[in-house]
Structure formats: C-alpha cells, structure tokens
Amino acid sequence: MFNYNMKFLSYLFTLIFLAEVSYSDEKILALGDKEYGQHLSGECVTCHKANSNKGIPSINGYDKDVFVTVMLAYKNKEMENPVMQMIAGRLDNEQIASLALYFNTLK
Ligand code: HEC
C-alpha cells in the first residue's frame, strides 16, 4: 500500500514538473520574433556553422523547446561551458525565444 502510494506520488510529481517546464518554455517562446532572431544570430554563427566544426555543434534546425531549456541552463550555470554561460547570460527571454525560432527554421 505504502509503496504503491509513493510510486503514484512520484509519477504525479513528474507529470506536474514536465507540464510546468513545457508551459514555461511555451510562454517564453511566445515572446519571440524570428526576424529579430536572425538579427541576433550574427554573433552565434561565428562559431555555430551549418555543420559541426571543431567540437562546436551545429544548432540549425534545433528543437525550439530544447533550445530555450538549454540556453536558460547555460544562463543559470546549470550547464558548464563558460563561453555559452557568458553568451546566454547577456540574453533576455525575448532574445532567447527569437533565436530559438530563427535557428529552428534553418536546415
Ligand atoms: C565562441 C564560440 C561560440 C559562440 C559565439 C556561441 N556558441 Fe553556442 N556553443 C559553443 C560551444 C563550444 C558549445 C558546446 C558546448 C559543450 O559542448 O558543452 C555551444 C553549445 C550551444 C548550444 C547547445 C548545443 C547542443 O549540442 O546541445 C546551443 C543551443 C548554443 N550553443 C546556442 C548558441 C547561440 C544562440 C549563440 C549566439 C547567441 C551561441 N551559441 C554562440 C560555442 C559558441
């Protein structure tokens, strides 16, 4: 009985957590503008090319929800790369959303 309840509770919390994450990504993405993203992308494409080079991954066609999550993780220093931490640290939610929409459209 106890075990069953714990399992059910952790399942419920996982669901709530996932729903909250995707809801907040959605709210952030709603702030974005693709054209603004294109304008901002100049800095990114000095490193991020259409094909991965020298250990720098391509971000063309990147999933836009994952993009927001990853950029916020760099910004909050939950992901390690110091260059990306600095770059993401300067971007606000509107700029991150715009970049997410823009890079998502690239092949
Ligand atoms: C000086 C080079 C450089 C610049 C400029 C740069 N990045 Fe990065 N970026 C990197 C490197 C290196 C990594 C891989 C880090 C790692 O492997 O942990 C990365 C990783 C990423 C990732 C995660 C990719 C993955 O594989 O999950 C995203 C998203 C990203 N960058 C977006 C951006 C955006 C948006 C910009 C412009 C605002 C930008 N980057 C500018 C070097 C750069």
Side-chain angles (χ1 to χ4, degrees):
M1 183 63 179
F2 177 74
N3 251 340
Y4 176 78
N5 278 337
M6 289 308 282
K7 253 192 203 152
F8 178 73
L9 271 182
S10 68
Y11 177 68
L12 199 66
F13 282 133
T14 307
L15 274 185
I16 291 169
F17 175 73
L18 288 178
E20 253 166 34
V21 166
S22 63
Y23 177 64
S24 59
D25 278 359
E26 234 166 69
K27 272 204 300 198
I28 291 173
L29 279 171
L31 303 169
D33 173 70
K34 210 173 69 190
E35 246 90 273
Y36 184 38
Q38 179 169 24
H39 170 75
L40 295 168
S41 70
E43 181 191 11
C44 319
V45 298
T46 58
C47 289
H48 293 281
K49 308 287 183 194
N51 295 299
S52 302
N53 75 321
K54 298 180 198 135
I56 303 176
S58 167
I59 54 172
N60 291 6
Y62 208 88
D63 181 276
K64 46 191 194 302
D65 292 302
V66 179
F67 190 101
V68 170
T69 305
V70 166
M71 291 302 278
L72 292 178
Y74 281 127
K75 190 170 169 165
N76 301 329
K77 305 205 182 331
E78 292 154 9
M79 278 175 73
E80 294 293 332
N81 189 273
V83 174
M84 284 308 302
Q85 286 180 351
M86 193 191 71
I87 287 169
R90 291 198 312 253
L91 299 170
D92 62 24
N93 286 351
E94 182 194 1
Q95 291 170 323
I96 289 174
S98 299
L99 287 160
L101 295 180
Y102 175 66
F103 278 108
N104 185 247
T105 63
L106 298 184
K107 295 272 171 288

